[in-house]
Every structure is written in C-alpha cells, then in structure tokens.
Amino acid sequence: MSDNLARVSFAVEREEFEAPGRRPFRIVSSSPSRRTRPRIFYALTAVAGMAAIIVAQLLLSVGISQGAYEISSLQSSQSELGRTAAGVSEDLARVSSPQSLAANAEGLGMVSNSNPVYLRLSDGAVLGAPASASGSQAGAASLVPNALLTGSTLLSQLPDHAAAGTVAITSAPVVPAGLAAPTTR
Amino acid sequence: MSVRSSSARTNPTNTRSSRRRTFFTIVVLFVIIAVFVVRLVDIQVVQADSLTKDSVGNRSVGQVIYGSRGEIVDGNGVVLAGTVMRYNITMSPVNATPFKRTVDGKKVELSVADAAAEIGAATGQTGDAILLTISTALEANSKANFAYIAQKVDVDVLRAVQELHIPWTYSENSPSRVYPNGAVAGNLLGFLSGEGVPQAGLESGQDACLASTDGSETYEKGADGVRIPGSSVTGTEAVDGGDVVTTIDSDLQWFVQQTLAARAQETGAAWANAVVQDAKTGKLLAVADYPSVDPNNVGGTENPDDRGSRAFTQSFEPGSTFKALTAASVLDAGVATLDTGVVAPYRYLPSNGANINDSHSHPDQNMTLTGVLIDSSNTGMSKFGEMLTDQQRYDYMKAFGLGTATETGFPREDGGILHPADEWDNQTSYATMFGQGLTTTALQIASIYQTIANDGVRMPVQLVEGCRQADGTLTDVPDTTGTRVLSESAANDTSDVLEMVYQKSWVNAKWNIPGYRVAAKTGTAQMPDGHGGYSNGYLVSVSGFAPADDPQYVVSVSIADPVKLNTSAAPAPVFQEIMSQVLKKYRAVPSGASAPDLPSTW
C-alpha cells in the first residue's frame, strides 16, 4: 500500500519538477482538475489491485484448505477401505485353509479315495488297481487344529437360505409360466 | 532537534534540564533495548531447544509407519504366515466421565457405567470388567491418562467401538502375525512372542529375511487434526521384510499331519513324525509332527517340547530302517553282491566279544542280503557288515550326512550322535550295522533313502527355496549341488532289495499300494530310558520310496512308543496312506513294469 502511494507522489513530484521548463507550451492543458484526477485514479487502481490480490489469495487459501480436508477425508476412507479389504482377504484365507475345506467337503458327504488309477488314452490301458473309496480316510474330526476357525460354521450346517446367500448359488432363472411355445397347426 | 534549538534560544536553564531529559530518555531507551536483547538471547539461544521442542510438540504429529514383516509361503504361494493389522482399544481413565450423545436429535447423557457396558458389548467383555480397569488405573495413578481396554482386536471390533463415539476411547495400530492354516506346518513355522520377537522355527531361523524396519513420519496438523497443507513432512520410510518361500506343499502337509495324528492317537504314541521328500531334488514337501502346535494359539500346546519340530530337533536310534545304509555300503564297496550268502543264526557271538541276537528265535538260516533285509535279521546283517572295516562304514555314514545337521538351516536342528569309528566299543561296532549305538533325526533317515532312490546321489535337504525380495528376486538360495555317495549300480541294487522287502515283509498287507512298485523298510528300535539303558518303549518306523522303477518321492514315518501297538504295523498304514496321496497328488503314473524277483535264500 505504502509502496504504491510513494510511487504516486513521486510521479506527482516529477510532474511538478518538469512543469517549470514546459510551462510556456502547456498553459491550456495544465488545468488543476487534469492534474488531480490521475492521483485518484492511481490510488483507486492500486487499492483495487491490492483488494484483488487479497481476495485471490484468500480464495486460493480456501481452495487449498478445502483440498486438504478433501485429501484428509479421502485418505481416511482409503484406510477404512484398506481395512475392509484386509479383513475380507483374511476371512478368505481362513476359509480356504485345508481344515476348513476338508471339514466342508466331508460335511457335504464327500469322501476321499487315495487309491490312484489312471486310464492311458493311447491304448486304453488301466494303470493301477481300481477300488472304491473306503469312506472318510483320515477321520472326520480335524486333528490339525486351527484356532482361527473356532466358531465358524460348516456350509452344510447353515440354514438353507443362508447357505444359498453365502455361497451365492443362483438358481436357474424362473421362466414365468414356461416358455411361450409356438402354436402350429 | 528543532525543539532543543528553539528552547536553547529562549532559556539557558531550560537547556540544562532539557539535556538531562534527553539523557534520561536515552538511558530509558537503552534499558528497554537491553531488556529486549536479554529476552531475545534468552529465547533464541538459552531456551531455544526446549521452546522449539514445545512448539513442534504442539502442532506436529509424529507417527510410526509400520513395516510389514514378510510372509512365509509354501511352494505354491499359499500364505502360511502373514502379517495383519490388529488394533488396541485404549482409553483415558482420568477423562472417563459422563458425556452427552445426540440420539434422534435429542441429547442423551450417558453415565460411565452405560458407556462401559456398550464398550464391553463391542469387545466381548463385561461392563464391570471395564469399570474395574478404570478404577484400577485411577487407583495406581489418580491422573492416569492411559489404559488398555482390549488388545489386538480385529477391524470389526474396532469399528463397533468407534461407532459408539465415546470421547475418552482411542485406538492404536498393533501389527500382528496370523497363520491362516493354523497348525498346518505350525511345527515348521514357529511363532512370535506377544512383543513380536521370533521364538522358534522358520520365524526365528529366517528372521534376517522376514524382519521389517519401521519408518516414521512427522507432519503438522491443525486443531481439528487435519494436516496443514504444505507443512513439512520429515521421516524415514518403512522397509517391508522379504517373503520366505518354502518347499512345503500346504495341502499335502495337512494330509500328512492329519493321517499321522490319527494313527498316533490310535496307537497311543508319545510323539511321531513323518517326512515327505522329493527324491530327485531333496526338497521337503511335508514335515509333520505329532503333537503339533497351532501358532495362532501357542498356549494351547502345553508341553513346550511339542511346540517345535521333533523331525528336526530330536534324534533317536533309528533301528532297522538303517540296514538299508549298511546294505548299500556293502554293495557299493563291492565286498558282496546280491548273490552273496551268509548263515544267519539266532545268536551271533563275533570274535571281538560282541553279542548279537535276532528279535525272535529261529534256526540257522542261509540268507542272501535280500533275505536278511526281508527278515530284518540282526545276525545276518552283522555278517554282511563285518565285511567292511568300522572306518569304512563310518565314512559311508558321514557321506550319507549322518552326525551333522542337514542343510536346511532350521534353528536348533539336531545332527544326531555319531562317534568316530575308533571310539566304538565291541558292541557298538556291530550295533551300528542295524541302527543302534548312533542317533539320527527323521530327516537324516529320509535323506539316506533319498540317496538310494536318486541313483546314489545325495541332494542337500532343502526346506527353503530362498528369500523373495520386494522386486521379486529370490535371494539366499541354498546350494542344490548333489554329491555322489553310491555308485549307480549299488544304489539300484539296494533299491531292488528294498522292493523285495516291500513285497515280502510281514506288513505287506498294511502298506500295499496296488499298481505301484514301492521300496520300503521297517524299523523297530528300543528307545533309551534317559539313564544310559533302554526302556520298554519302541520307536517304530517305515521308510521307503516310490515308484521304485523311477523313484520320485521318499516317505519316512516314525512313531515313538506306541503303547497299544509297538511294532512296525503301527507306522505301515500311515506310510501307505501318505505315499498313496503323494503319488495321486503329483500324478506319478505307474509304469506297469514288473518288479524284480531276487532270491532271499541260497
């Protein structure tokens, strides 16, 4: 502010200083109104410029702060989503553990047949001695503990609708009243 | 200046008082300046450090960035041990006062007891327990500003507590270790203490690879906790640990543990272990122990000895499975062939004064090496073994890797006891032919059979593939150069003998795998009583490999003191189940070639 004013007064002084040398040629044009108007004009320009700068700076600062809040909230939502993702993948690792898979398979009535037999396609030869599965081979109870599975429920023990929801079994789409069959006579 | 000159002109007395005033003013000015200078020096120099610290403390926040401890994965990339973030719920007991909460637009005041009950419902404690924590903390220190409500809770509990919006509760991060597969390979993985210090197993042995370095970050925040834009951020970056890639197959490991545990419980065994090794590479595919620790719940395994892996850390006298080594040594040295015959009596009294007898009474028998192994005759084995000097047999044993820990680098791995040949007494000289008078770990026995299966080339026993760094490169890869112990023909001859044992042994019905050619040998060794003698307990074992015509997998099962069935009939079905599973899992197709038929008598 003071800087601008100084410049204005300097300009005025210079004008006054130069004036004596040129006075004979500038009588008509050197009216007082002509000399004072630029002062106000310059002052207003300077003040307006300052105001513009201040407003711009304020807006910028508000914008940056707004951005900071936005970043902060996005970061916290990112960390929340990260936590959710970590929790879900932890659950996935837990239920895909061998104990969980074996218990669920046996719960669904599956049995393991450890007697390997191969059919060689080139000549149709059967390699190995086929025998039927002898039922649960390693015993139904898990002898390899997993503390993480404490309290988890087997799929086969879930209520029907819950099981369907959990494993996302989508039944075949229901066709209303059957497909419209073409009637030909 | 102008004032002074004007007064000087008017009155001389005024001039003097004016000077005094000037002098006084100057003095006052200097005093004021001096005060400011002293204060400035005090602030800028004397108190500078503490003031800076205070100011930083008021506006800047330092936080630890946790580096993630590396994972331990199996050969297929399944995570056996991983790091997850857990949370500690903390509170400020001194600030635990009633507070107001807006419910449906109305302000409701909650007492401390109500809040405690709500927290308890979220963390699975009783409200009274939380009130007790508050009162205990305040009793110890009436201005206590910190106490744990619950430690290492998962994100669901954390969110439940956060949703209560109780102003005097806080949370902090607490990285924890989780073992998604529970006790699967728990014997190998080891575990960490509550403070995160590795205690056993790979966690301890591979700590140099797994360990991470925590970083820190400092930034400035406003009163509302939001980071001030552009504020200085200083700190060090966290460095994550590398992943340990093991050779274990987690699915197979589970099967082996399950099968072993079922049989060990059925036979009332003290402990048991089973090893599955790739015959061509020496890689361990499964190392099961019974009992076995669940690293998620270490306290659930009461006996500290059950928390590790006896397959690595406990050596024992192997017994008759060891006869395969003596037979291979004799064949490799060329002092006997598959047609060489000996007379095996029930009791053999060699000239050096030793006293050897077989497990059951029998008349003198004319046996080949094949017959000796089928009947597992100690006297017959002694007659073959004495064809070599003690030193020769000792050298073979050393070449097979006995007496020193294997190459796995497992913490506290036992190398077994193998005294130098010149320290053997008369009885030990013969006992070492059939697996007494020396000790081996289950791994060393598996390694003997791996050597025979792999045409006489012993591969280093390998448990860890290496340390996988963040950029995917594998470092610290162990040496995988094999060493030739036996000639190819001696190894194949021994394999043929073991195949005959598999076919003709009295446990054949219990270990028969239809369609496959298998080579195997049983062992029944008296166990030491810990006082220099033998107890009534036996360590029963079966070791072997399949398919015998192109050996790919070695399985070794040892069961200690199965009180309900102390013969090789205890481990034989376990061997059968594990070997069948291995052959099926890895699609080892039987060749259909017929097994050798060697004479057992002459």
Side-chain angles (χ1 to χ4, degrees):
Chain A
M1 199 72 180
S2 59
D3 184 44
N4 277 311
L5 278 177
R7 220 182 289 153
V8 170
S9 65
F10 175 73
V12 171
E13 270 171 20
R14 193 176 55 186
E15 208 171 310
E16 284 172 83
F17 177 75
E18 284 173 355
R22 296 188 184 179
R23 197 167 284 163
F25 306 101
R26 297 178 65 186
I27 290 169
V28 179
S29 61
S30 64
S31 69
S33 66
R34 178 92 195 256
R35 234 180 290 147
T36 50
R37 206 175 59 192
R39 288 194 199 167
I40 291 165
F41 176 73
Y42 285 136
L44 284 180
T45 312
V47 169
M50 281 305 299
I53 289 169
I54 288 170
V55 167
Q57 197 181 353
L58 264 173
L59 286 176
L60 255 176
S61 158
V62 166
I64 289 175
S65 311
Q66 190 56 40
Y69 281 97
E70 206 169 310
I71 288 172
S72 175
S73 94
L74 285 175
Q75 276 175 343
S76 74
S77 87
Q78 185 192 21
S79 97
E80 278 301 304
L81 290 173
R83 285 173 177 180
T84 308
V88 170
S89 50
E90 217 182 296
D91 277 350
L92 178 63
R94 193 168 50 81
V95 296
S96 49
S97 67
Q99 292 98 328
S100 166
L101 292 179
N104 277 303
E106 293 202 350
L108 294 169
M110 298 166 84
V111 290
S112 149
N113 186 355
S114 66
N115 180 30
V117 180
Y118 299 85
L119 174 66
R120 194 162 59 202
L121 292 178
S122 57
D123 57 357
V126 173
L127 305 173
S132 60
S134 55
S136 175
Q137 166 199 47
S142 176
L143 302 172
V144 186
N146 188 350
L148 300 180
L149 292 174
T150 312
S152 62
T153 322
L154 292 184
L155 286 180
S156 54
Q157 291 169 353
L158 290 174
D160 282 349
H161 61 279
T166 311
V167 296
I169 297 171
T170 46
S171 51
V174 180
V175 182
L179 283 171
T183 43
T184 29
R185 287 184 185 155
Chain B
M1 211 58 168
S2 59
V3 173
R4 195 186 62 177
S5 57
S6 67
S7 52
R9 252 177 283 151
T10 54
N11 193 341
T13 47
N14 275 2
T15 312
R16 206 176 299 125
S17 78
S18 161
R19 278 192 183 140
R20 214 182 292 133
R21 255 201 329 261
T22 310
F23 176 75
F24 179 73
T25 311
I26 290 172
V27 167
V28 168
L29 269 176
F30 268 100
V31 167
I32 291 171
I33 289 171
V35 166
F36 276 111
V37 167
V38 167
R39 187 72 183 131
L40 185 70
V41 170
D42 184 43
I43 290 173
Q44 287 288 354
V45 181
V46 181
Q47 294 190 46
D49 284 348
S50 66
L51 287 176
T52 311
K53 214 179 289 168
D54 284 356
S55 73
V56 169
N58 278 338
R59 62 191 148 81
S60 72
V61 195
Q63 63 180 34
V64 178
I65 306 172
Y66 289 105
S68 177
R69 186 175 170 85
E71 293 178 339
I72 302 178
V73 300
D74 81 349
N76 303 317
V78 175
V79 177
L80 299 172
T83 297
V84 292
M85 192 54 85
R86 290 284 183 267
Y87 308 90
N88 295 336
I89 312 282
T90 68
M91 65 171 162
S92 167
V94 71
N95 291 326
T97 49
F99 66 98
K100 287 200 170 70
R101 178 193 288 163
T102 311
V103 181
D104 300 331
K106 281 179 285 181
K107 289 216 167 183
V108 186
E109 178 158 303
L110 267 87
S111 70
V112 176
D114 292 342
E118 286 185 0
I119 299 171
T123 58
Q125 296 162 287
T126 61
D128 290 342
I130 288 162
L131 289 176
L132 184 69
T133 313
I134 298 176
S135 57
T136 315
L138 289 175
E139 261 170 45
N141 173 11
S142 59
K143 288 179 180 167
N145 200 20
F146 182 86
Y148 284 115
I149 296 176
Q151 296 195 47
K152 295 203 186 286
V153 298
D154 63 17
V155 67
D156 296 336
V157 175
L158 173 74
R159 284 177 178 164
V161 173
Q162 282 178 339
E163 272 169 22
L164 299 174
H165 295 294
I166 296 169
W168 35 271
T169 58
Y170 312 91
S171 67
E172 60 183 25
N173 287 353
S174 171
S176 308
R177 206 72 170 145
V178 73
Y179 304 88
N181 294 342
V184 174
N187 53 337
L188 307 176
L189 297 173
F191 44 88
L192 304 182
S193 70
E195 290 78 39
V197 181
Q199 301 292 301
L202 290 171
E203 292 275 25
S204 166
Q206 296 289 321
D207 192 44
C209 170
L210 294 166
S212 61
T213 314
D214 287 346
S216 64
E217 185 189 37
T218 310
Y219 60 88
E220 296 178 1
K221 66 166 188 177
D224 50 6
V226 171
R227 181 184 292 218
I228 297 173
S231 67
S232 64
V233 176
T234 52
T236 48
E237 286 206 12
V239 183
D240 289 347
D243 294 341
V244 170
V245 182
T246 65
T247 58
I248 297 296
D249 181 315
S250 60
D251 285 347
L252 182 67
Q253 174 80 22
W254 170 80
F255 182 89
V256 175
Q257 281 186 238
Q258 173 86 3
T259 311
L260 183 72
R263 188 63 172 170
Q265 286 181 359
E266 191 183 331
T267 57
W271 52 266
N273 54 49
V275 178
V276 182
Q277 193 181 18
D278 187 314
K280 297 195 190 299
T281 63
K283 289 180 181 178
L284 294 168
L285 300 173
V287 181
D289 275 277
Y290 167 86
S292 184
V293 68
D294 178 355
N296 295 308
N297 178 22
V298 177
T301 309
E302 281 170 17
N303 181 357
D305 291 343
D306 292 342
R307 294 177 184 168
S309 175
R310 286 192 173 88
F312 284 90
T313 60
Q314 180 146 5
S315 63
F316 49 85
E317 290 178 276
S320 301
T321 49
F322 195 81
K323 285 173 182 159
L325 184 148
T326 309
S329 308
V330 168
L331 290 170
D332 185 65
V335 293
T337 67
L338 295 181
D339 300 323
T340 308
V342 294
V343 177
Y346 164 64
R347 185 172 297 280
Y348 176 42
L349 301 168
S351 55
N352 77 349
N355 182 347
I356 317 295
N357 64 280
D358 277 344
S359 59
H360 55 278
S361 178
H362 63 81
D364 289 1
Q365 288 171 308
N366 294 344
M367 287 176 154
T368 62
L369 194 55
T370 308
V372 166
L373 262 78
I374 290 172
D375 278 6
S376 203
S377 163
N378 292 341
T379 56
M381 200 71 246
S382 300
K383 292 210 167 174
F384 276 105
E386 66 189 5
M387 294 174 184
L388 294 173
T389 65
D390 288 353
Q391 188 59 44
Q392 278 177 306
R393 287 193 296 111
Y394 175 81
D395 291 343
Y396 273 111
M397 291 177 202
K398 290 299 279 184
F400 272 102
L402 303 190
T404 46
T406 65
E407 298 80 354
T408 56
F410 198 80
R412 299 195 297 119
E413 182 174 348
D414 192 346
I417 300 167
L418 176 63
H419 296 298
D422 51 16
E423 291 176 19
W424 292 351
D425 63 22
N426 297 336
Q427 189 69 20
T428 306
S429 170
Y430 278 88
T432 50
M433 294 172 192
F434 42 85
Q436 302 265 346
L438 52 81
T439 68
T440 64
T441 60
L443 283 190
Q444 288 171 326
I445 290 295
S447 183
I448 292 171
Y449 281 79
Q450 180 273 322
T451 308
I452 296 167
N454 191 31
D455 295 334
V457 177
R458 180 179 182 278
M459 303 303 289
V461 183
Q462 196 184 350
L463 176 63
V464 174
E465 301 259 18
C467 177
R468 194 172 61 205
Q469 305 293 342
D471 58 4
T473 54
L474 210 59
T475 60
D476 301 311
V477 177
D479 182 27
T480 53
T481 324
T483 45
R484 180 161 289 283
V485 178
L486 304 171
S487 67
E488 195 172 335
S489 66
N492 292 343
D493 283 351
T494 312
S495 173
D496 288 348
V497 170
L498 291 172
E499 216 180 326
M500 289 302 296
V501 175
Y502 166 76
Q503 295 174 68
K504 306 283 183 189
S505 167
W506 68 275
V507 292
N508 175 267
K510 295 187 187 301
W511 67 14
N512 187 36
I513 305 172
Y516 282 93
R517 287 174 56 187
V518 181
K521 178 78 190 81
T522 56
T524 310
Q526 274 186 287
M527 289 173 70
D529 59 6
H531 308 290
Y534 284 107
S535 67
N536 290 329
Y538 284 88
L539 187 134
V540 291
S541 58
V542 170
S543 294
F545 49 85
D549 37 347
D550 178 23
Q552 294 183 45
Y553 302 100
V554 177
V555 172
S556 180
V557 181
S558 313
I559 300 181
D561 197 13
V563 289
K564 295 178 190 164
L565 182 65
N566 63 357
T567 68
S568 315
V574 183
F575 175 85
Q576 192 270 344
E577 285 185 44
I578 294 174
M579 187 59 97
S580 301
Q581 177 72 12
V582 169
L583 295 171
K584 178 182 72 167
K585 182 172 172 57
Y586 296 109
R587 302 283 186 268
V589 180
S591 67
S594 56
D597 189 14
L598 304 175
S600 60
T601 57
W602 54 277

